[in-house]
Amino acid sequence: MRFATELVAWVATPWVLAGHSWLLAVLSVLVLVGLPTLFSTPGDKTAVLIAVPGWVTILLVLLQLAAAAVSSWLAWPAWAAVLVSLLAAATLVTEQRRWRWLVSSQ
């Protein structure tokens, strides 16, 4: 569920921002894809470029969830935004076990 929500964020956010500035659209992809690639908690991913505590990884996931939900409401019809919002809410529930582990791994 997390990956599906991330995909939505990667598509919907630049879609919304492209109407304002192509530079913002590109920057949004760099932030949404680049930050989680660079910063990760040891043990959560096999390849860690820059090690960060678990709470940073959680904040990065929350950024993705918020970007997906907000951008879907701005970019797409209401029925699609409702589905994305439900997906984001379900992801919040399914991520709880992982988040507990991330916080305890510090």
Side-chain angles (χ1 to χ4, degrees):
M1 289 197 166
R2 177 173 30 105
F3 182 66
T5 309
E6 288 173 345
L7 284 175
V8 171
W10 299 343
V11 171
T13 304
W15 188 323
V16 169
L17 294 175
H20 302 287
S21 163
W22 67 268
L23 182 59
L24 285 177
V26 170
L27 287 175
S28 73
V29 173
L30 291 175
V31 167
L32 292 171
V33 176
L35 289 182
T37 301
L38 287 176
F39 302 104
S40 53
T41 304
D44 189 41
K45 289 185 178 178
T46 55
V48 175
L49 297 176
I50 300 172
V52 294
W55 63 268
V56 174
T57 299
I58 294 169
L59 288 178
L60 290 171
V61 172
L62 289 172
L63 174 67
Q64 300 268 357
L65 295 177
V70 171
S71 297
S72 68
W73 281 100
L74 297 172
W76 299 330
W79 65 267
V82 167
L83 291 176
V84 171
S85 297
L86 290 172
L87 177 64
T91 302
L92 282 173
V93 173
T94 60
E95 283 289 295
Q96 292 303 304
R97 182 175 171 203
R98 176 175 174 247
W99 290 356
R100 280 191 295 276
W101 176 83
L102 284 167
V103 170
S104 70
S105 69
Q106 296 179 17

